[in-house]
Amino acid sequence: MNSLALIDDDPILLSVLEEIFKLRGLQVTSYNSPLAALEQIPEIRPDAVLSDCLMPHIDGFELCRKLRGSAGFSRTPIFLMSAKHAVSELSKAMMAGADEYVIKPFSPDDLLKKLTETYEKKNNPVRIKPGVR
């Protein structure tokens, strides 16, 4: 996994996350507007997407649904992050097509590990070959 799209309307958190993931070797594209992200992400085709849930205009759940509905995003890990610990929020994230629901605050190293594992799993599926008898 080499590239990550970050979406969050909090400019400070967005800047911190961008720097953290760049220091870990990722090419990061950041968006403080979910509408701009939705327009540009299909063009840049990141390896993974990390989005906040609560944002103006459209929330992370809707962003996730729209990305999952566009061509080429079935194998892209999409993680939604929020400070809300409610089961209903987790359920909304899964129903929107997210791979993970991340509760803030989180460890960037743990998150990167989960993103990478999800990317590998979705892009290198295990294939069972018929045995030779």
Side-chain angles (χ1 to χ4, degrees), residues 8-114:
D8 199 312
D9 61 322
D10 179 342
I12 295 170
L13 180 59
L14 188 63
S15 177
V16 168
L17 288 175
E18 180 178 13
E19 191 62 30
I20 286 171
F21 288 117
K22 281 184 176 179
L23 288 172
R24 285 160 177 76
L26 293 178
Q27 178 185 4
V28 180
T29 307
S30 299
Y31 302 94
N32 63 359
S33 162
L35 294 175
L38 192 56
E39 186 177 299
Q40 295 172 21
I41 285 176
E43 294 173 22
I44 65 166
R45 314 271 291 157
D47 293 330
V49 176
L50 176 61
S51 175
D52 189 26
C53 288
L54 302 175
M55 297 181 289
H57 308 297
I58 64 168
D59 60 24
F61 306 110
E62 184 64 19
L63 176 86
C64 183
R65 275 190 288 279
K66 288 183 182 284
L67 286 175
R68 286 288 185 233
S70 52
F73 280 89
S74 64
R75 291 186 176 175
T76 304
I78 300 176
F79 284 23
L80 296 179
M81 58 183 168
S82 177
K84 291 187 175 184
H85 295 246
V87 173
S88 61
E89 295 297 301
L90 168 63
S91 180
K92 281 172 54 177
M94 297 301 109
M95 294 296 291
D99 293 290
E100 291 281 339
Y101 180 76
V102 181
I103 299 170
K104 298 176 189 175
F106 51 81
S107 160
D109 289 325
D110 290 345
L111 181 58
L112 181 56
K113 182 179 176 187
K114 275 187 173 182

